[in-house]
Amino acid sequence: VMRGRVPTALVVLVGSVAPCLSLVSLVGSGVGGVWSLTQQATDALRSCDALVFDALADDDAMRGLVPADAELHDVGKRGGDGRGKIKQDEIDALLVELAGRRQRICRVMIA
């Protein structure tokens, strides 16, 4: 049983659809980078308040899809090679932190 405030990153739907406090979209860019994104992924990027992204081949094109005032977080992960600016648990904590103060977060991962 949780007591006190419910974290804003937690959205509970009971009975009917409740307004979302935060939305974290997980987007896979695929081997084609931003050029292989679905329309739904592109829409998520165009409407995000914060963007958390891996090392993409053409990150300038990806950055061009997000609003100019979006907060950008380059986590620098490069697939499974173990190198990166931030470890996965730190990325997870960042997503929770951003969800606590933002409406829409988009996490883009390279395939």
Side-chain angles (χ1 to χ4, degrees):
V1 176
M2 289 184 68
R3 295 184 182 204
R5 285 182 32 151
V6 176
T8 55
L10 177 63
V11 178
V12 179
L13 301 177
V14 179
S16 63
V17 176
C20 285
L21 300 173
S22 294
L23 174 65
V24 178
S25 299
L26 303 176
V27 175
S29 69
V31 294
V34 298
W35 309 115
S36 64
L37 293 173
T38 64
Q39 185 63 49
Q40 187 174 12
T42 302
D43 291 344
L45 283 164
R46 288 186 175 142
S47 65
C48 73
D49 297 307
L51 173 66
V52 179
F53 60 98
D54 289 343
L56 300 174
D58 190 359
D59 64 337
D60 287 338
M62 190 235 357
R63 289 174 193 232
L65 291 174
V66 301
D69 61 345
E71 189 175 318
L72 303 177
H73 297 271
D74 179 358
V75 295
K77 285 185 72 82
R78 286 165 173 64
D81 69 3
R83 296 183 319 223
K85 293 180 181 176
I86 300 178
K87 301 281 185 213
Q88 186 60 50
D89 60 339
E90 294 174 283
I91 294 171
D92 296 343
L94 174 62
L95 292 172
V96 170
E97 175 194 337
L98 291 170
R101 58 187 171 98
R102 295 287 186 173
Q103 291 284 332
R104 298 166 305 246
I105 298 92
C106 194
R107 167 72 170 109
V108 179
M109 298 159 285
I110 193 165

